[in-house]
Amino acid sequence: MNRFNLSDWALHHRSFVWFLLIVSMIAGAISYGNLGREEDPNFTIKTMIIGAALPGATIDETLKQVTTRIETKLEELDDLDFTRSVTTPGQAVVYVELDPTTRGDAVPDAWKRVREMMSDIRADFPQEFAGFQFNDNFGDVYGNIYAFTADGFSPRELRDRVEDIRKQVTALDDAGKVELLGEQDEQVFLEFSAARLASLGLGQQQVIATLAQQNAISPSGVIEVGPERVLVRVGGQFEDAESIEAVNLRVGERFFNVGDVANVRRGYSDPPDSLFRYRGQDAIGLQIGMREGGNILEFGKDLDALMDGVAADLPVGIEMSKFADQPHVVEDAVGHFVKALAEAVIIVLIVSFVSLGFRAGFVVTLTIPLVLAITFVILDLYGITLQRISLGALIIALGLLVDDAMIAIETMISRLEVGENLGAAASYAWKSIAFPMLTGTLVTVAGFIPIGLNSSAAGEFTFSLFVVIAVSLLISWIVAVLFAPLLGVTFLSEKMGHHDHQPGRLRLGFHRLLRGAMRAKWLTVAVTFGLFIVSVWGMRFVEQQFFPTSDRTEVIVDVTERQNASIARTRADMDRIEATLAGDEDVSFWTSHVGEGAPRFILSMDVPTPGPHMGQIVIQTPDLAARDRVKDRLNRLAREQFPGVDIYVKNLEIGPPVGKPVQYRVSAPDADDARDAARGLATVLSDEPRLRDIALDWNEPARVVRLEVDQDQARRLGVTSADISDALSGLFSGVGITALRDDIYLIDVIARGQASDRSSIDSVRNLQLNLADGRTIPLSALVSLEYGSEQPLIMQRDGLPTVTVLAAIATADQPATLVTALADRVAEYQAGLPPSVRVEVGGTVESSADSQEPIAAVVPVMLLVMAFLVMVQMQSFRLSLIVFAAAPLGLIGVVAVLVPFGVPMGFVAILGILALVGILIRNSVILVHEIQELLHQGRSRWDAVFEASDSRARPILLTAAAASLALIPISRQVFWGPMAFAMMGGIIAGTLITLVFVPALYCVVFGVKPPR
């Protein structure tokens, strides 16, 4: 009984197979149009933010009563990697960071568990605790952001206009979260004169209570009048600031108007929590996200059409500007990659035509769009989008996916040369080489297993690389054994010749090299092993990298003042920076964000913790050269004109964000110990000339005025510490009285002191307290003032105060290089610290290690799968050993390319090197299988090794040429360049060495001796 032959079956069902081919091409074209487009693939931001408030508490009280309770409870979370927190007086912000290996689909359950844990401990907090706020949408991306500026319109009028536009945008089918950015909340201020109130014998609390009661919403009843119900309403609610100012107050037998004791005005948050500006002008932003699964290009078209109509309807004086346009960026990025893909296809076609001739090359050429078409169908089914990673993977796969088709057609032509007919020649590949090809294909796919099973953020970012290559290579094998025979029968001539039977000069040269290597087998193995040892040693000269910086044209400027700085100070310094951007030909436009970071307009955006002491400027430049010039000018400006301000000018990042690349964390149980040790470490780092902009993420204390209350005297007068605190809060910060109900807004009514009182420490002494009997006394009669300092904020990691020393790089060196160079000095410094103080490496080096550890954990699985596949095919320990011995040889070519060209070894390059293992094992499997086949045909071992190496050299070299040359289009790209260089060097050198080393090793293992 004959074994089933898929190629032969295809030839006997030609119409059906042609039908499948045509349907596959049509379905592929449709799927390509349906595939989503993105600039970069999504990855899960495994961070949740918990906000908690204890109003009026000191920073020490907030730390102990709020932050510590939250962090201690979170230690019970199974998936927790670490917690980090920022504590300020009365406010705690805790970041929950999940373990990098947590699967993306498990993250929502983890956030649900966090909410439950916080609910469990809610009763443990002080009575004054104001509750939690949760943000588990930290990774939300707003790909389209518009800025609206106004001339002649109030901020409220502009906000109303933008709110109407927001409602129109949310009506779009693919619209996701749509929010306003930088809007200022309206407030009504009652600014009291403390002296005037005291002279009238009127307490501020009396005014507040009267106004709050008048504006309250209370049920007034319903009158049942026979067949109908009549509602009863009580008037008096405030409609505007004037109605508040008109309220009359009674003190004894006298009446006073609110306007007599307070200045009532309607304005905006003062001081504001944050500010948003476009080209230096106050603005309101509209940030627009897309729903998950939407097509960014189609959504971009719909949004542009809508906003064009909006722009046409805007009144004179309101201008709309678009400063984040992800659809345009995606279209441009995908266009570049599609161009690179087309170039790679052309290169592979040229290799096929030149090496195989027109007819055979044409058959191989036809398999390329067929494989791509079926791949697109599967990607569409599984929701894989076209983006940087998947398109790059297609280019990498191109050189590999033609391998099976080349081998199948080469085998067919070789059978035609010995006189077989087209049908028999076409079906011979299945009998002779199909299963070794399948083993080789599966082994190549197994080389990418560390990507597929790597659950870190970087692994999730590159996951589509594994999917695309695995799918395309498996499809290429199916096409080679199912469709290629039919195409060969259709387009090849039964009388065609393969190539000259007489070897040319190159082939003769290879014969001499091969015989020499086989004769001097021990020397060949030793030299190869020596080259490998040298390459391992040479890896020390290859700089390490995590992910390269983005090739986008934005410049990001992080501005960090001293932690006790006001938002007014931050704004003033940012005004000075922005003044240098106006009129700069290298600057297209810019936006600035004071008191908070820019919105996440790409997923890899590093979003800092908001605070009055920080801000961020996003500058759009026309091209990369302009971007670099702007960066240089801003760095020079920061050094010369902003001493004491941490200004970090950076590019956007690719992959998980890091911030300043060189970081060291200094932790200690005591905050002062951590700060002192961090300052000393900063001094150590300052001796390294390749570092610049060294800063501590928190350091400077804030001045504080402490009021020591004479409690005995206070009790005699009926005054409590709470009364004093309320009076001071009402004077300086203001207290909420009530709220105006204006359309969809609630406008808080705030009572506070006059501007002159709020801005002077003397107001503390001069504050008049109202007693229960109507008398007033100065606060200075009850308290004494002491001046000191305390931390304005404390940062913790895993429950310990932690100061991070951050540094930028002044040269072209990679972070890992500098951390290695500093290792001895840092270790020496740490040896002199108390045992309780711990120094850890953070930044890029830590992120890279976190991403590589999951890869290292999966490598044994990769090797086991490869070993299983090879053993299934070889059925011999010695043959499997020979096959596996070729696996690491690609490192020789990798080092030979990376070192002289100065290319760093990045995360993606490491993935490429692991993939080389599969590619070289594949070549060895096919070569060793051919040796065994010739042995079964009666050849001697020597002849079998020589003939197999000679016959397999051509397809192996052609595959190597196609695979390496196809990488040229992406070798020029920032992201793929290191991987392309590493794989090109590894494939070329590894393949050449394999063709010589494997035959020599076979001769060593089996004791093959040359004939006499």
Side-chain angles (χ1 to χ4, degrees), residues 32 151 160 219 253 272 344 355 429 476 505 525 579 583 587 631 647 726 785 903 909 921 926 1007:
Y32 177 78
D151 183 9
D160 288 343
E253 298 301 323
S355 59
S476 72
R505 271 186 277 180
V525 172
V587 175
K631 281 184 61 182
I647 298 177
D726 290 343
L785 273 59
V903 179
I921 289 179
I926 294 174

Side-chain angles (χ1 to χ4, degrees), residues 178-230:
V178 184
E179 294 183 345
L180 271 60
L181 169 68
E183 73 276 24
Q184 297 299 311
D185 292 329
E186 283 189 285
Q187 292 179 338
V188 174
F189 298 103
L190 273 71
E191 296 178 340
F192 290 96
S193 168
R196 179 64 175 158
L197 283 174
S199 67
L200 294 173
L202 195 61
Q204 185 173 320
Q205 293 302 320
Q206 292 175 274
V207 180
I208 291 174
T210 301
L211 295 176
Q213 291 168 5
Q214 179 173 332
N215 197 47
I217 299 178
S218 301
S220 306
V222 178
I223 303 173
E224 300 286 346
V225 183
E228 65 175 305
R229 303 168 75 243
V230 179

Side-chain angles (χ1 to χ4, degrees), residues 43 388-389 454 456-462 544-550 604 652-658 661 814-815 844 847-848 851-852 904-909 911 974-976 978:
F43 58 90
R388 186 192 306 271
I389 302 298
N454 176 12
S456 68
E460 190 177 356
F461 182 75
T462 55
Q544 303 299 306
Q545 185 186 59
F546 182 34
F547 280 108
T549 57
S550 174
S604 58
L652 290 170
E653 299 178 67
I654 296 177
V658 175
Q814 295 296 325
T844 301
S847 297
S848 180
S851 297
Q852 291 176 22
M905 174 75 72
F907 178 82
V908 181
L911 301 181
V974 172
F975 182 80
W976 289 109

Side-chain angles (χ1 to χ4, degrees), residues 204 246 268 328 376 404 494 552 599 632 731 739 828 942 983:
Q204 185 173 320
Y268 299 90
H328 174 74
F376 288 143
D404 289 338
E494 194 164 321
R552 289 181 55 143
D632 291 340
L731 173 65
E828 181 182 355
W942 178 271
M983 290 192 69

Side-chain angles (χ1 to χ4, degrees), residues 904-975:
M905 174 75 72
F907 178 82
V908 181
I910 291 173
L911 301 181
I913 292 172
L914 290 175
L916 282 174
V917 173
I919 294 171
L920 296 180
I921 289 179
R922 169 198 174 93
N923 291 339
S924 300
V925 165
I926 294 174
L927 176 56
V928 173
H929 175 267
E930 183 70 9
I931 293 174
Q932 297 305 108
E933 284 294 311
L934 292 175
L935 283 176
H936 293 156
Q937 294 176 19
R939 305 287 202 284
S940 67
R941 283 198 184 273
W942 178 271
D943 290 340
V945 172
F946 179 82
E947 290 181 25
S949 301
D950 179 39
S951 63
R952 289 295 102 198
R954 179 180 174 83
I956 288 175
L957 287 173
L958 290 180
T959 303
S964 56
L965 294 176
L967 293 170
I968 291 176
I970 60 173
S971 65
R972 303 185 297 268
Q973 298 185 3
V974 172
F975 182 80

